[in-house]
Amino acid sequence: MTFPALVVAVLVTQAPEPAPFLGEFQIEDRAQARLGPATPLTVTVRIPATQLRPRELDRRFRLRHPEADTVRFEVRGYPASRDPLLPRHRRPSFVIDYDQKPVQALRERFLAQGKPPTLEALTAFVDQSIVKKNLSRGFDFASVVARRAEGDCTEHAVLLAALARSFRLPARVVLGLALVEGTEGLKAFGHAWVEVREGKHWKPADAALRGVTELQYLPLNVLEDESASYLGAAIRQGSLMAVQGLVLEDAPPGE
C-alpha cells in the first residue's frame, strides 16, 4: 500500500537566550496533502554539532550518529514512547500537586457531575475549567492553575496530569511541537501536552487543543524534573531547540 507523506525540515540553532517552547514558528508549506493525526511524515532535523539533540528524538526514533548535524526519521501517527511505568507517574509532586486543596476541590467538582473519570472526560473537564485562556502565566503548577483557572498549554497540561493522577491514571507532561492544519493553513507551535499510561502504551491527551483533529505532535522532551526547580529545567530543555522554521514537502510514495 502506498501512503501520501510529508517531509518536514526542522532548522535548529542555539538560542541567544533560554526560551520556552511556547510561540509560533515560521513554516513553509510546500505539501499538497492536508495534515492529519496519521499522515506519514519524513522529518529532517538539522542541529549544530555543538548542541545536544532533544532526548525524545533519540529515544522515540532510535536515532544514531549523535555527532551528525542532520538526522532523518519517519513519523506515522503519534510517536510512541517505550518508557516504563514508574511509581512517580502516579505520585503528587511539586508541579503535579494533586494532594493540595485547590486540585482536590476541582476533583470534587468533577465527581459531582456523576461521570466516570475517563481520560476523555478529564480532558474535557480541564478544557472547560481553565476559563481564561491566555499566555500571561509562566508555567504554573497544578494547584495554582486550579485556583486561577487561567493559562496556556502548559497550565492545561499540568492540571490534566494532576487530575489524572488523582484518579490513579499514571500521567506525565510532554514538551514539543504541534503541527496544526487550520483555515489559514499549516502552523507550527511550541506546545505542552500530557501522556497517560494505558496498558503498555503512553497515550497523548491534550486539553489545550481538544477537538482539533488535523494535527501532529513531535515530542522533544518529557518533564522529568517535577521538583521546585522544574521551571529552570523546562527552560533549559527549551533552549536546546531554537527552531528557525519548518519546511513541509510532499514525500515520494512509500510502501
Side-chain angles (χ1 to χ4, degrees):
M1 179 182 293
T2 61
F3 297 89
L6 305 176
V7 175
V8 184
V10 184
L11 309 180
V12 185
T13 62
Q14 183 177 8
E17 296 180 358
F21 277 94
L22 300 181
E24 181 179 347
F25 299 98
Q26 293 182 351
I27 188 165
E28 182 178 352
D29 184 8
R30 303 174 185 172
Q32 300 299 315
R34 287 184 65 83
L35 189 67
T39 303
L41 306 175
T42 299
V43 182
T44 301
V45 183
R46 292 169 53 191
I47 305 174
T50 56
Q51 294 295 299
L52 295 174
R53 286 204 297 264
R55 186 178 182 185
E56 293 303 299
L57 290 182
D58 289 314
R59 290 160 62 89
R60 301 197 186 214
F61 301 104
R62 297 183 178 181
L63 301 182
R64 299 180 180 180
H65 310 296
E67 74 284 355
D69 291 339
T70 301
V71 293
R72 184 181 176 90
F73 52 91
E74 289 190 355
V75 181
R76 294 182 179 271
Y78 185 76
S81 171
R82 301 172 182 85
D83 287 349
L85 176 62
L86 301 176
R88 63 182 174 85
H89 296 135
R90 290 191 173 96
R91 295 171 180 164
S93 65
F94 183 86
V95 183
I96 314 299
D97 55 347
Y98 68 81
D99 54 341
Q100 297 300 303
K101 289 182 179 179
V103 182
Q104 289 295 311
L106 200 61
R107 185 181 190 275
E108 292 303 314
R109 278 177 48 196
F110 177 85
L111 289 172
Q113 300 178 127
K115 298 179 180 179
T118 64
L119 180 56
E120 291 73 16
L122 291 173
T123 301
F125 181 72
V126 169
D127 177 27
Q128 296 161 4
S129 298
I130 299 180
V131 295
K132 293 177 284 186
K133 300 180 186 294
N134 56 51
L135 298 172
S136 66
R137 306 304 300 168
F139 210 139
D140 287 334
F141 41 91
S143 60
V144 174
V145 183
R147 177 172 53 84
R148 296 185 61 94
E150 179 180 11
D152 50 51
C153 60
T154 54
E155 282 71 40
H156 285 72
V158 296
L159 185 57
L160 178 55
L163 284 176
R165 288 186 189 180
S166 78
F167 286 106
R168 304 183 62 81
L169 296 175
R172 62 187 187 176
V173 175
V174 181
L175 304 173
L177 297 177
L179 306 177
V180 182
E181 186 91 52
T183 56
E184 299 179 357
L186 189 66
K187 294 183 180 294
F189 299 93
H191 196 49
W193 62 96
V194 169
E195 287 182 338
V196 174
R197 184 77 170 205
E198 290 191 349
K200 297 182 179 180
H201 304 284
W202 290 99
K203 178 181 178 180
D206 191 345
L209 293 180
R210 187 174 70 93
V212 178
T213 57
E214 295 180 320
L215 83 163
Q216 281 269 24
Y217 295 102
L218 183 59
L220 300 179
N221 283 296
V222 173
L223 186 66
E224 296 180 342
D225 184 351
E226 297 181 4
S227 69
S229 61
Y230 79 101
L231 186 55
I235 291 175
R236 288 193 299 273
Q237 287 179 332
S239 67
L240 294 177
M241 288 283 287
V243 177
Q244 301 297 297
L246 307 177
V247 179
L248 272 70
E249 300 173 315
D250 287 309
E255 294 297 326

